[in-house]
């Protein structure tokens, strides 16, 4: 069976090397299109003491998420550009509180999903198990 599209889920900078060390050789072997995915959950809007949304908190959180996403994108590009593979990068945001759920449409279209197993001190905001099951895999 040939895997036409492989989705590589990158949750953190620690995952990049492990996930891509598996995904890139598989994509080369099957001449697949490799899609790198990173999703961030946006914080639930908190209110200040006066009852208005705390926009500074939201802005700082969004900036930190963008910086982390940009670092992962750069690491993904560094690892894949020399491989000669067809590739794509998807950086997603979610208001649901579970950052993994924003990637469902991407992983449903993939033939194979590669993700690192979450460690005990990993990102609890991303429920990769639910993402894979909800994607029908």
């Amino acid at each position: 069976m040939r895997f036409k599209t492989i989705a590589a889920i990158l949750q953190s900078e620690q995952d990049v090397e492990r996930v891509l060390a598996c995904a890139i050789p598989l994509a080369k072997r099957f001449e697949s299109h490799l899609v790198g995915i990173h999703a961030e959950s946006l914080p639930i809007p908190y209110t200040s003491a006066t009852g208005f949304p705390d926009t500074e908190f939201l802005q700082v959180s969004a900036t930190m998420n963008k910086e982390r996403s940009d670092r992962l994108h750069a690491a993904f590009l560094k690892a894949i550009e020399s491989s000669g593979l067809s590739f794509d990068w998807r950086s997603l945001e979610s208001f649901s509180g579970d950052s993994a759920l924003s990637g469902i449409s991407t992983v449903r279209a993939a033939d194979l999903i590669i993700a690192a197993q979450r460690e005990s001190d990993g990102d609890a905001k991303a429920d990769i198990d639910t993402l894979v099951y909800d994607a029908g895999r």
Side-chain angles (χ1 to χ4, degrees), residues 22-127:
C22 176
I24 291 173
L26 277 173
K28 282 183 180 179
R29 178 177 176 194
F30 294 106
E31 299 175 356
S32 305
H33 179 77
L34 184 61
V35 180
I37 304 169
H38 175 72
E40 292 282 351
S41 61
L42 295 172
I44 297 170
Y46 292 100
T47 58
S48 65
T50 59
F52 294 101
D54 189 351
T55 56
E56 184 176 340
F57 172 73
L58 295 172
Q59 184 61 41
V60 168
S61 296
T63 302
M64 288 173 48
N65 289 350
K66 172 118 175 69
E67 289 171 357
R68 183 174 28 254
S69 181
D70 289 346
R71 287 193 306 269
L72 289 170
H73 184 205
F76 176 79
L77 289 176
K78 181 180 176 185
I80 196 144
E81 282 185 330
S82 63
S83 69
L85 291 170
S86 168
F87 66 89
D88 191 12
W89 173 257
R90 305 232 171 102
S91 180
L92 309 165
E93 292 181 325
S94 170
F95 285 101
S96 71
D98 183 356
S99 61
L101 294 179
S102 60
I104 285 179
S105 62
T106 300
V107 297
R108 278 189 180 148
D111 298 310
L112 181 66
I113 303 166
I114 300 173
Q117 183 175 1
R118 185 173 70 191
E119 297 176 13
S120 60
D121 60 343
D123 182 9
K125 296 182 291 187
D127 187 358

